Amino acid sequence: MTLEVPDRRRVRRADGPVIADVVVPPSKSIANRALICAALAEGESEIVGIAPGDDTSAMLDCLERLGVVIDVTERDQRLVATITGNAGVLPDGPISLQTRLAGTTSRFITALAALGAGPYVIDGAPPLRARPMAPLHNSLAALGARIEPGEEWGHLPVTVSGPLGGADAVMMPGNVSSQYVSALMMVAPYIRRGMRLGLSTELVSRPYVDITRSVMAAFGVDDVDVSERTIHVGESCYFGTDYTVEPDASSASYALAAAAVAGGAVSVKGLGYDALQGDAKFIDVLVSMGCTATVSAGDMVVMRRRDTPLRGIDINMADISDLVPTMAVVATQAVTPTRITGVGFIREKESDRLGDLAAELNKTGAQVVVEDDGLLIVPTDMLHGAVLDTHHDHRLGMAFGVLGLVVDGIEVNDPSVVSKSWPAFWEALDAIPARHS
């Protein structure tokens, strides 16, 4: 299967087309939004499908430290959280909130903390401290919160004291991270007169904002209007509800990409044509490159004959930017170049997802060029094994695992980084069977 040494994992090359039914974890993006809404709600909620990764674990820990009563159990091999909401009332501080490496959690929790009197100290691991938070901190300050940086404005650690309500209109750039927008949207119902958020630039990752609006509606807040440059949320409150989280489409991309690069057929269960997540559209991208696919209400399947070549494409991935590492790996197996655009902002994710990704893939002999807002991948037949660094980025680690299915000798440093979103990823990759042609 795979050979392991401490902090490094060698990926077994597939010796034929892959054939597998893959179960991916629940969406951490949806789960974390549902957890915020349930924590603020009046009454009890049950969330079925809590994502098992570090991000969601950090969210649960922070909410409990803010006085939210949470009971997590297992049912039918899924984690279920029963949550008694606080109706928007937070305990006074001082309270320390550790968000570890979780960017989404840090931003959502910072906005949530601004609803209480505080003080609340939000902090994370060193790589998270390096990530930008200024647009969110600026907006919360404009809304009346007291924001005290620990070292540098716009970074963690930060001390937050509320409540919000100093202004009902704020402005932030839309082309940095949709997480800032979603964080403000979810707390806005508890701001007097609600909130009108203006965007000074075009919104990136719009599907994630749509997910936020959908989850808010499921918990009873439907006075939300999202237009091209303005988002309005009316004053309201959430109510406890039962909510089921769909499988994670970002995680599904690695399973579907396995069929694209190695040939064969891979099915992802539970993710169908009614998926909330924009990343579910990755299946259409693979079809445009030469794969065939079927999508039903309950699953999606990608297939490729090994004698059918993959074609390179030009693609703007602004709305599915988390899939850039997956896409880059698939593009190395195409017969013509691929250009990815619209994703300059991902340089400040868990890693520099342009520079670090290109540098690691180029270790294998790939020809990946960093451009102003994306990547150019020129295929070559000279790929070879290499030791690849993950740069604290789970998406790089999982994408490199997919590459190892078709390039012999791929070894991944710090393989446990995948625990951020899919702790069982390597076991799932090992379980994809291969048969001789």
Side-chain angles (χ1 to χ4, degrees), residues 350-366:
E350 286 87 336
S351 67
D352 173 356
R353 280 198 186 149
L354 295 182
D356 292 338
L357 175 62
E360 297 306 318
L361 290 178
N362 287 342
K363 288 181 182 178
T364 72

Side-chain angles (χ1 to χ4, degrees), residues 76-91:
D76 299 328
Q77 298 184 317
R78 291 190 291 183
L79 295 178
V80 179
T82 302
I83 300 170
T84 302
N86 59 18
V89 179
L90 274 61

Side-chain angles (χ1 to χ4, degrees), residues 66 90 97 108-118 120 122 160-163 187:
L66 289 171
L90 274 61
L97 303 167
F108 289 2
I109 287 293
T110 299
L112 175 65
L115 294 174
Y120 312 103
I122 297 95
V160 179
S161 303
V187 301

